[in-house]
Amino acid sequence: MAMAVPEPVATRRLALDCRTLLDHRPSRGVCGCCGALRPRYKRLVDNIFPEDPEDGLVKANMEKLTFYALSAPEKLDRIGAYLSERLSRDVARHRYGYVCIAMEALDQLLMACHCQSINLFVESFLKMVRKLLEADKPNLQILGTNSFVKFANIEEDTPSYHRSYDFFVSRFSEMCHSSFEDPDIRTKIRMAGIKGLQGVVRKTVNDELQANIWDPQHMDKIVPSLLFNLQSGEGTESRSPSPLQASKKEKESPAELTERCFRELLGRAAYGNIKNAVTPVLMHLDNHSLWEGKTFAVRCFKIIMYSIQSQHSHLVIQQLLGHLDANSKSSATVRAGIVEVLLEAAAIAASGSVGPTVLEVFNTLLRHLRLSVDYELTGSYDCTNIGTKIIKEHEERQLQEAVIRTIGSFANTLPTYQRSEVMLFIMGKIPIPGMHPTLPSTGSGPEVNRMIQVMLLKSLRQVTCGFQTTNMLTALPNSFLDPLLSFALLEDAEIRLLVLEILVSLIDRHDNLPKFSTISIISDISVLKLKVDKCSRQDNLFMKKHAQHLYRHIYLCSKEQSSVQPHFEKLYSLLALISMELANEEVVVDLIRVALALQDLALSCEEMLPVYNRCAVHALSSAYLNLISQLTTVPAFCQHVHEVIEMRQKESPYLLPEDVFIENPKIPKTLENLEGELLFQQAKITEVLGGSGYNTERLATPYVPQFTDEDRLSKRKSIGETISLQVEVESRNSPEKEERTPAEEITFETLKNAIVDSVGVEEQEKERRRQVVEKFQKAPFEEIAAHCGARATMLQSKLNQIFEITIRPPPSPSGTITSSYGQTQSRSVPVYEMKFPDLCVY
């Protein structure tokens, strides 16, 4: 049918109306003559949409559109704007088939175009993705997320100064917490949210022009969202550390995807971003009470420690220590959970990664150990926002054990020289009787001191496990060894056992300790495959300096009535390890003398040892002499020891370890005098060893321990006795006791001598004070009592003199008094007329 020719203005209006119509309908539904009036980019965009959306994208037309976009990149932003307009309209009209086609077209254009004009196109693309993410349909949310992930993997050639991803961080985090009713759809939405967060991180983490993704406002949303999904799959074990790589599984659980995303996030964290990444983890564990379970918290920090760069490990550890300080008033289970995480983190950390403040780490742990002891003894503490809270003793004990294990774990990451410093540091924290006062504490008394001693010695035992050094002299200085040995003489059996365990760990440098865990008579020690090295020069110097101290403490520990089987086993281990690690000819002779002295100790009735202890000392002596005889490889010595052991097996098996160190010891009610072939003969041993070149004069001399300062100091029950001793010493040094010396004429020689001797004056004064203290420490009780009695007598005589001067008989009428000896005495002065010194008037 023919149409009338319109006016030019009407023609123009008709064209505009047709274009408007085409903007709202597919091009194939309009006649071709009107479609030719539309811009080319719109026609190319319209042509990619089929009549039936189920047919999918028209690939041939999509290739044309892509070619056009590459040929005319200035049109790319208009193409994007038009696609965005169509997608918004299709979403509003619920034509989701066309929505999928539009997003597929956008994805292909993004992958193909990298020109400078892509920024404006990206704005349209992100606008469309945002539209999809705001939709209520889960499929649209997932579609928008997948497109964003593809976009995140594209490396743009030109920077963007104004692009923002705040909405995407918030929306993806919200999707991670989806609570959709259908579990399958809920899982898909959560996985889409995780992938979206991963895309945001990839797109922004390395672009300095983008918003800093490491800011707390973003990390406080990203990290908790990841942890929420990681917690939902807590049953899945954390994978071992490996390079970041995508899983090849077609079906991946949200927990696995979350772990992979979390590892990637942490792997990209620089030095300054570690704190912002870890802080939300700590807050999440606090808010959801996840420290108490320990499992999830440990898993999180395993992922963190394996994912971050190894040189940043100490930053995580410092944050954990700070968080432990912040929770010092929390329950014991919370603090134990944090300590367990610290334990795992220290085990993963590389050597030396504890950081520059090594001692501060141990100081923090020891402080919390002390706090736990105080809480346990007081039974309660002021809890934050709750008031006074009653604690459970077993929970505090579990916390203490966890702290001790953590201290050992940290120590294992340190080199030898730093571990020696840590050992000295811990020793300085232990309240040592008679040497320095205890640490300040909310509680006081002997029980506090004892518990602190036990806990810190357990910590020291953990630090010394596996400790190996080539130079014992430098690794174990006097400032460490002397206080440690003083604990070996305390009456507390648990403390003595801890000290013996520490000494054994320090001396065992070739892992021979497990072979001497029990006391037994070994007929052939070659089956033990012992590792014995020649004693080095440093070891000889160490033994020359400290051997007598070690022997004395071994002897005195053996005579303690509270010693039980573990004590004797550790004493045997200590003797055996000294024989193999630190022994030269002189040391071997002294060790044999000590063993024979132990036999004499068990025979003596003066010590009043129980029967079990006497049998145990006999068994200890026989087991060690059996070992040392085979180490010396002197046949006659071995034969003598073997004969005595055989005789004991026949007549007195209760003198051998096999009948003593068992669950039910087979010991007699009384131990009669033992003589003859049942005993090791010192004369016989001296004779046989003298023939092999050993020092017979020294061998023939019985060993007698020398008592020193620490022997008596260690027996003191409280620090108050030491303080009273110090007061006594100060009173002796008071000015009243000093003799007044006449004024000395000052000459040139006097000044010269003063200058020359000024350095030694202080040392002489210290030596004099030391001698005074040593006198009171070493002197027998009777001597000290006699000294105090003499002082009391002297004081009484002075008082009598004062009374004679101040108190006189009443005056006689004649004004004089005639004594019984006929001597005339002066008239007494009334009290109100007497002149007293100013110090006596108050």
Side-chain angles (χ1 to χ4, degrees), residues 472 485 503-504 506-509 512 516 532-533 535 539 542-543 546-554 570-584 586-588 590-591 594 624 627-628 631:
M472 297 284 288
L485 291 177
L503 286 173
V504 167
L506 291 171
I507 296 176
D508 182 29
R509 294 176 292 179
N512 288 317
F516 301 107
V532 183
D533 284 346
C535 190
D539 292 341
F542 176 80
M543 290 304 292
H546 299 292
Q548 296 303 321
H549 294 274
L550 292 173
Y551 303 152
R552 181 174 64 255
H553 286 81
I554 291 173
K570 290 303 175 185
L571 286 170
Y572 175 68
S573 300
L574 183 58
L575 286 167
L577 290 172
I578 292 176
S579 305
M580 287 179 295
E581 298 282 354
L582 304 170
N584 52 30
E586 182 179 348
V587 172
V588 169
D590 286 339
L591 289 172
V594 171
Y624 177 69
L627 173 68
I628 195 67
L631 289 175

Side-chain angles (χ1 to χ4, degrees), residues 533-571:
D533 284 346
K534 185 178 180 181
C535 190
S536 64
R537 179 176 175 273
Q538 290 83 359
D539 292 341
N540 287 332
L541 292 175
F542 176 80
M543 290 304 292
K544 187 174 182 180
K545 187 173 184 180
H546 299 292
Q548 296 303 321
H549 294 274
L550 292 173
Y551 303 152
R552 181 174 64 255
H553 286 81
I554 291 173
Y555 181 88
L556 296 178
C557 282
S558 301
K559 65 186 291 187
E560 289 289 343
Q561 297 186 8
S562 58
S563 294
V564 290
Q565 180 176 341
H567 294 85
F568 292 108
E569 288 176 348
K570 290 303 175 185
L571 286 170

Side-chain angles (χ1 to χ4, degrees), residues 13-49 82-83 85-87 89-90 93 95 98:
R13 276 186 193 155
L14 180 61
L16 290 174
D17 291 340
C18 291
R19 290 175 61 182
T20 304
L21 178 64
L22 289 171
D23 286 347
H24 294 81
R25 297 188 62 186
S27 59
R28 295 180 183 274
V30 186
C31 60
C33 61
C34 293
L37 299 175
R38 296 165 53 76
R40 186 182 178 190
Y41 73 90
K42 289 190 176 184
R43 283 179 299 172
L44 290 172
V45 170
D46 290 336
N47 289 339
I48 66 176
F49 292 90
Y82 183 52
L83 277 170
E85 183 182 347
R86 285 199 58 136
L87 184 136
R89 184 171 64 247
D90 291 336
R93 296 179 179 179
R95 298 192 294 189
Y98 288 119

